[in-house]
Amino acid sequence: MALAAGLFLLPAQLKQHSCCPDLRRGPLLVFGKPRERRRRSIAPVARLFGPAIFEASKLKVLFLGVDEEKHPGKLPRTYTLTHSDVTSKITLAVSNTINRAQLQGWYNRLQRDEVVAEWKKVQGKMSLHVHCHISGGHFLLDLIANLRYYIFCKELPVVLKAFVHGDETLFNSYPELEEAMVWVYFHSSLPEFNRVECWGPLRDATSRGRGKAGDASSSSSSGSPMDRPRQCQVECDCCFPPQSLIPWPHDLEEEYQESAGQLQQ
């Protein structure tokens, strides 16, 4: 995703201002190099605020110990997606649990731009639960939490398209999964971004992102009643898997209270 592009906005603008003395040397330079430099300085802004486009040629899919045609209501199924801002390549792992090896390395730990998701059957209905890390862990993420939330929201339709395209055998076998509701968990040490949003059916979320269900008026934030599927408290056949496959807190209100307590200690 374009998370790294935001870090280069300020340097790009400074480079543009550093060209000003050259503009005064002669009229010929006005029609030469300065225009080229100005065009390059706009590139990071275009990547950051331009439309998010899914390119299948840049997607690499890994199937790790999972049956491509097995319904996720019977066999655990998760997605681990990472992106390189250097190569623009997207790597998607489809497996029974999160592909932790994909999240190792200093670059991934610094950027934290991974997206992980899992299929759940709750009270007989299938839904896709997507998790994004907005801030927390180191202060740089806290400084640009607002920007990261904006970028994740803009890029998530591309991520969801990558899920559908990369796992196309599953969706061809069970097209009804595209009608499953998408729940997005934004994890943040800041309460205003620590929230859960319903993005509506997967088919709609891949095409237009957040629908009415994802607007601020109806999205669920920490501390508010969450109108999202809840698993049965006793052993049953209508919920699967019995426990979440993603080891991130799902009660975001509790998560924020814990992180605030750690800061006070």
Side-chain angles (χ1 to χ4, degrees):
M1 288 180 289
L3 290 173
L7 301 178
F8 297 107
L9 284 177
L10 185 56
Q13 293 171 349
L14 291 177
K15 288 180 181 179
Q16 184 177 5
H17 287 300
S18 65
C19 299
C20 292
D22 294 335
L23 296 179
R24 299 191 187 95
R25 293 181 182 177
L28 293 178
L29 294 177
V30 176
F31 302 97
K33 288 288 183 180
R35 284 190 175 182
E36 185 179 350
R37 291 178 181 177
R38 192 180 302 115
R39 193 177 299 115
R40 284 201 299 263
S41 68
I42 294 174
V45 183
R47 289 197 301 270
L48 185 60
F49 298 105
I53 301 174
F54 172 68
E55 298 181 59
S57 61
K58 295 183 178 180
L59 176 65
K60 177 182 178 181
V61 184
L62 306 172
F63 286 93
L64 305 176
V66 66
D67 188 336
E68 294 185 34
E69 297 184 1
K70 193 72 172 181
H71 193 282
K74 299 179 180 179
L75 185 70
R77 200 179 201 89
T78 69
Y79 301 125
T80 306
L81 184 141
T82 54
H83 174 268
S84 171
D85 285 308
V86 177
T87 64
S88 298
K89 296 292 185 180
I90 300 175
T91 302
L92 171 66
V94 184
S95 56
N96 294 331
T97 185
I98 291 179
N99 183 26
R100 294 181 180 274
Q102 193 175 339
L103 307 179
Q104 300 301 315
W106 67 268
Y107 180 85
N108 289 324
R109 288 197 293 266
L110 176 65
Q111 290 287 93
R112 292 303 310 269
D113 60 355
E114 74 274 4
V115 178
V116 295
E118 66 176 333
W119 282 104
K120 282 186 176 183
K121 181 174 72 170
V122 182
Q123 298 184 13
K125 294 183 178 180
M126 296 301 301
S127 53
L128 183 62
H129 298 252
V130 184
H131 295 256
C132 309
H133 184 88
I134 301 298
S135 66
H138 58 80
F139 75 97
L140 289 176
L141 299 184
D142 295 337
L143 291 177
I144 57 172
N146 190 19
L147 178 62
R148 286 175 61 83
Y149 176 76
Y150 164 81
I151 294 175
F152 269 115
C153 289
K154 183 175 78 75
E155 298 286 347
L156 267 178
V158 173
V159 172
L160 296 175
K161 287 179 182 178
F163 291 167
V164 175
H165 182 84
D167 209 4
E168 60 181 342
T169 301
L170 175 73
F171 287 97
N172 289 337
S173 301
Y174 307 100
E176 67 274 10
L177 289 177
E178 291 197 60
E179 302 302 327
M181 299 297 286
V182 176
W183 294 88
V184 183
Y185 300 70
F186 295 100
H187 297 262
S188 174
S189 56
L190 305 176
E192 59 266 39
F193 303 116
N194 200 56
R195 56 194 299 157
V196 181
E197 295 180 359
C198 178
W199 281 43
L202 178 59
R203 186 188 305 277
D204 296 338
T206 57
S207 59
R208 66 171 183 263
R210 286 183 296 182
K212 292 181 179 180
D215 294 338
S217 59
S218 57
S219 60
S220 301
S221 59
S222 60
S224 302
M226 294 185 179
D227 185 19
R228 58 189 169 102
R230 303 281 184 173
Q231 288 186 284
C232 299
Q233 299 298 315
V234 297
E235 185 176 349
C236 65
D237 295 328
C238 63
C239 299
F240 183 85
Q243 294 182 346
S244 174
L245 305 172
I246 298 178
W248 293 9
H250 288 238
D251 189 327
L252 299 186
E253 181 179 12
E254 266 185 26
E255 178 188 16
Y256 171 69
Q257 290 175 350
E258 290 177 2
S259 62
Q262 293 175 357
L263 291 175
Q264 293 175 355
Q265 292 177 354

